[in-house]
Amino acid sequence: MAALRRLTQYPPRGMAISTLHTSSCASAKQHYKMLVLGGGSGGISMSARMKRMMGAENVAVVEPSEMHYYQPIWTLVGAGAKTVASSGRSTASVMPSGVKWVKSKVQEINPDTNTVRTDDGTEISYEYLLVALGLQLHYEKIKGLPEGFEHPKIGSNYSVQTVEKTWKALQNFKEGNAVFTFPNTPVKCAGAPQKIMYLSDAFLRKTGKREKANIIYNTSLPVLFGIKKYADSLWDIVKQRDLQVNLRQNLIEVRADKQEAVFENLDKPGETKVIEYEMLHVTPPMGPNSVIKGSPLADEAGWLDVDKDNLQHKRYPNVFGIGDCTNLPTAKTAAAVAAQTAILNRTISKILKNEKPDKKYDGYTSCPLVTSYNTVILAEFDYNGQPLETFPINQAKERRIMYHMKADLMPHLYWHGLLRGLWGGPGPYRKLLHLGMK
């Protein structure tokens, strides 16, 4: 259970846990034309593109983790439809060949001196910086966590250390409340907290336990889903399947020894409600990477402050950002990263030529809302919350073909396309459809 205790400081991509500074005398200075911070989906996909643009010897990636995970599949791992082993590959196997892998954590970013310091004291200088550090999970902001994960009946699909506990809790469910939560913070993959609810409902029906289950979704949001077209369809599913949705309810404490979850009513601060559970799925509070938050690169909230059109930093023109660490006003998903890669690639190519960026990111993001073991509602939308759909069908309807795309096709495209810088771009599904019609 020691691994569960470490969730208190479970780091995002390439981030240092410690805030202590070590001497740069520990090792010689290094310099790269393009330094990429973070080896997640954004960092690896862009380093592959930068290798082709600048040459492998001019690119380095700072990433401490030995393993790289395709996190979107954890929804299905938590429901027993996929294995956790299938979600991971070694970082060495996805790192573009010839690109320097700096196996360290980022300690400090100094954009005024064009340097980055790692936790082993190495100082790395750069000509251009690409920040892809992701966001940080904060289980510790819920009283009773992360130590509560040492008890059964509680899991979380947001960490490789707890996702299998979700499946065990679901398998061992007998009768009572199955509770699913959404925190009062920005989150990555905002549909995931309710996807596991729909899958749990399907599993309990399949195993004959549904009549003894009361399924509860407590969300801090004032809506079920942010885009009305898809929210309307989800409300229909909620009613059809007798799922209880409570809006503006925020999880503030878990009493794992008593199997109790405590929620605060956000519309009536201070008013709390205790719910006993037989199964609890926790979506943790999330926040900006602390290294970014403590640097001049951050906005007032701590996120990487980039231009929403071209992903170039607003104050440091040789700095760029991608993915969950940025303040781009769109949902934080892998599909958003895929859409951002081609825009950012174009932006950087123009900057290298001393030209102005000429392509704009429209905020495209996608959330395949898994509603059962064989159906998905494919939500796609832009900065304005307007549907930005790929297929000539009503995507607000549950479809089997979309489930197979989510469960089978997308992982393949992720490992063999996106991470190699070969797939993505504005509306990545549109590109996929175009390729399929050729």
Side-chain angles (χ1 to χ4, degrees):
M1 291 299 174
L4 295 178
R5 297 188 188 98
R6 290 198 298 271
L7 281 172
T8 303
Q9 295 293 336
Y10 190 69
R13 293 288 177 188
M15 195 200 97
I17 293 176
S18 171
T19 57
L20 295 175
H21 294 264
T22 50
S23 172
S24 60
C25 297
S27 60
K29 285 188 178 181
Q30 301 177 35
H31 177 82
Y32 296 94
K33 186 168 185 178
M34 175 61 75
L35 182 62
V36 180
L37 305 183
S41 55
I44 294 296
S45 60
M46 285 308 301
S47 63
R49 288 175 179 262
M50 293 300 97
K51 171 187 172 180
R52 290 196 292 273
M53 186 183 295
M54 302 177 174
E57 70 280 2
N58 293 312
V59 181
V61 180
V62 182
E63 170 57 52
S65 304
E66 292 280 354
M67 290 294 292
H68 178 106
Y69 291 100
Y70 177 56
Q71 296 182 28
I73 211 70
W74 286 348
T75 286
L76 300 181
V77 173
K82 295 285 184 179
T83 64
V84 71
S86 71
S87 72
R89 297 189 180 182
S90 68
T91 299
S93 71
V94 299
M95 191 68 62
S97 62
V99 167
K100 173 67 175 179
W101 175 16
V102 181
K103 200 181 300 184
S104 299
K105 296 166 186 166
V106 178
Q107 185 78 31
E108 186 179 17
I109 305 171
N110 294 301
D112 292 312
T113 58
N114 293 330
T115 58
V116 166
R117 192 190 304 276
T118 63
D119 64 340
D120 64 358
T122 301
E123 187 172 272
I124 308 172
S125 59
Y126 58 82
E127 191 172 341
Y128 299 95
L129 183 70
L130 202 162
V131 186
L133 286 173
L135 51 65
Q136 182 140 19
L137 307 182
H138 288 294
Y139 287 98
E140 80 282 359
K141 290 190 176 181
I142 298 171
K143 187 178 179 181
L145 295 183
E147 60 272 18
F149 286 114
E150 296 181 11
H151 293 261
K153 304 182 184 297
I154 174 174
S156 176
N157 291 353
Y158 276 86
S159 167
V160 68
Q161 296 159 316
T162 56
V163 62
E164 291 178 300
K165 289 183 64 64
T166 303
W167 174 226
K168 288 179 183 177
L170 183 54
Q171 286 177 295
N172 294 332
F173 185 95
K174 294 181 174 61
E175 61 178 313
N177 294 329
V179 182
F180 304 84
T181 74
F182 189 109
N184 190 29
T185 67
V187 302
K188 55 182 175 180
C189 195
Q194 61 183 288
K195 296 178 194 180
I196 187 60
M197 171 181 66
Y198 301 127
L199 286 163
S200 296
D201 170 72
F203 179 81
L204 294 176
R205 291 180 188 277
K206 183 172 64 174
T207 54
K209 300 176 182 178
R210 183 62 180 91
E211 289 186 359
K212 295 183 178 181
N214 182 31
I215 297 180
I216 302 170
Y217 181 61
N218 275 10
T219 173
S220 67
L221 300 177
V223 293
L224 181 58
F225 191 72
I227 312 303
K228 186 178 184 303
K229 175 177 181 177
Y230 308 114
D232 289 346
S233 295
L234 294 171
W235 276 119
D236 287 341
I237 292 171
V238 163
K239 293 171 184 175
Q240 292 165 11
R241 300 181 191 175
D242 191 26
L243 309 173
Q244 181 181 334
V245 175
N246 301 312
L247 305 177
R248 301 293 287 158
Q249 298 295 311
N250 184 44
L251 179 67
I252 59 172
E253 181 180 358
V254 175
R255 302 166 183 166
D257 55 336
K258 298 178 181 179
Q259 291 175 217
E260 293 178 345
V262 183
F263 293 87
E264 180 181 20
N265 184 341
L266 295 177
D267 289 332
K268 297 179 181 179
E271 180 179 296
T272 60
K273 183 177 182 179
V274 179
I275 300 178
E276 293 184 0
Y277 64 82
E278 171 69 5
M279 172 188 177
L280 175 65
H281 177 269
V282 177
T283 301
M286 302 179 202
N289 183 294
S290 62
V291 171
I292 297 173
K293 192 173 183 178
S295 80
L297 297 177
D299 66 6
E300 290 183 357
W303 303 97
L304 188 73
D305 195 15
V306 297
D307 185 293
K308 72 183 185 71
D309 292 330
N310 58 40
L311 285 70
Q312 184 179 26
H313 196 273
K314 291 180 180 177
R315 298 185 302 280
Y316 296 92
N318 65 331
V319 177
F320 310 90
I322 190 171
D324 296 352
C325 69
T326 68
N327 62 355
L328 297 171
T330 193
K332 299 177 185 295
T333 69
V337 170
Q340 291 162 20
T341 54
I343 298 294
L344 184 51
N345 192 73
R346 177 74 174 185
T347 293
I348 294 172
S349 69
K350 286 291 185 179
I351 296 298
L352 289 176
K353 298 173 185 175
N354 292 318
E355 298 175 4
K356 290 185 178 181
D358 60 352
K359 294 291 184 181
K360 290 187 176 182
Y361 175 49
D362 56 10
Y364 172 90
T365 191
S366 172
C367 183
L369 292 153
V370 182
T371 54
S372 76
Y373 283 92
N374 56 18
T375 55
V376 159
I377 289 174
L378 182 60
E380 294 180 283
F381 48 96
D382 62 14
Y383 275 138
N384 299 317
Q386 296 301 309
L388 198 63
E389 297 181 342
T390 297
F391 302 93
I393 55 177
N394 179 12
Q395 289 184 200
K397 182 178 178 180
E398 294 178 281
R399 297 185 185 275
R400 289 176 179 265
I401 187 66
M402 297 302 180
Y403 178 86
H404 291 299
M405 185 174 76
K406 157 74 176 177
D408 305 315
L409 178 58
M410 297 313 298
H412 179 80
L413 285 172
Y414 180 83
W415 295 115
H416 302 287
L418 180 62
L419 293 188
R420 296 181 181 180
L422 301 174
W423 177 74
Y429 295 128
R430 294 198 290 276
K431 184 173 181 182
L432 171 63
L433 181 63
H434 176 68
L435 291 173
M437 294 174 66
K438 277 191 173 180

